[in-house]
Amino acid sequence: LIRTYASIVLRAGRQANSTIDALLLLAGVRRGSVTPRPLAMAEIVAEAREQVAPLLAERGGSIRLPDRWPAACGHAPWVVQIWTNYLSNGLKYSAQPPALVLGATPQPNGMLQFWVQDHGPGLGPEARARLFTEGTRLQPDQAPGNGLGLWIVRRIAERLGGSAGVESEPGRGCRFFFTLPPAV
């Protein structure tokens, strides 16, 4: 009985800490003034992978990377947060074992789209429309969270001059993306 209560308290503490971290990050994004700089995307993705390493090991997943990344501009600590959120969500909500593929695609408007593709159940139009809004959790019983992650991702991407979103169809997995301007 004591172990059960201790586990509940520990889980609640982690949830509270996660919420506080998300709110502090959002506060920094809202008031922070950054000058976008060329990004070392391989290093940024490596840092995000390090942050999700325990979850990756727990889920027995894999992450496939491209050989090269295009040169983009942004603010490295914020871009690490985007990748960490997308990787964490992909590991939590994809089919088991999760197999994530990362990549980048130049867009017709000159922006660079960076993405994480999973092979999960996919999302219908209603779910896609709700995902990047504050407090949205589509599967609250599947994994802990506060519903702020994707909302913050969108805010970060917009502050850096880009956008964030998801492409998906039921039964075909999801491709979560964000765009950044290219480095010149």
Side-chain angles (χ1 to χ4, degrees):
L1 189 62
I2 291 174
R3 285 183 190 216
T4 301
Y5 287 128
S7 175
I8 291 169
V9 168
L10 185 60
R11 204 170 31 252
R14 275 189 276 219
Q15 180 68 28
N17 193 39
S18 173
T19 300
I20 290 167
D21 288 346
L23 292 172
L24 288 172
L25 175 63
L26 180 60
V29 169
R30 280 188 170 166
R31 74 178 182 303
S33 175
V34 298
T35 302
R37 302 196 186 293
L39 299 170
M41 196 60 77
E43 292 173 20
I44 288 170
V45 171
E47 185 174 336
R49 284 185 69 184
E50 188 175 306
Q51 290 185 27
V52 300
L55 183 59
L56 181 64
E58 175 188 317
R59 302 286 174 140
S62 64
I63 299 174
R64 193 172 75 211
L65 305 172
D67 294 330
R68 295 177 38 146
W69 292 102
C73 281
H75 180 59
W78 291 358
V79 177
V80 168
Q81 289 301 316
I82 293 174
W83 281 115
T84 300
N85 184 280
Y86 281 176
L87 292 174
S88 174
N89 285 351
L91 293 169
K92 289 176 194 174
Y93 300 112
S94 186
Q96 295 300 316
L100 306 179
V101 179
L102 280 57
T105 309
Q107 299 300 289
N109 65 0
M111 298 291 278
L112 298 170
Q113 184 186 83
F114 296 89
W115 46 265
V116 175
Q117 175 74 46
D118 68 36
H119 64 283
L123 298 168
E126 298 89 22
R128 287 193 316 267
R130 292 181 28 223
L131 259 189
F132 287 83
T133 58
E134 180 180 7
T136 297
R137 296 194 63 221
L138 297 180
Q139 300 170 349
D141 297 337
Q142 191 168 341
N146 51 36
L148 298 175
L150 292 175
W151 180 61
I152 292 172
V153 161
R154 184 179 56 106
R155 302 289 299 230
I156 289 172
E158 289 171 355
R159 281 294 305 261
L160 295 174
S163 63
V166 62
E167 299 166 350
S168 181
E169 292 179 31
R172 296 190 170 250
C174 293
R175 178 176 282 201
F176 283 87
F177 66 86
F178 64 98
T179 61
L180 293 173
V184 286

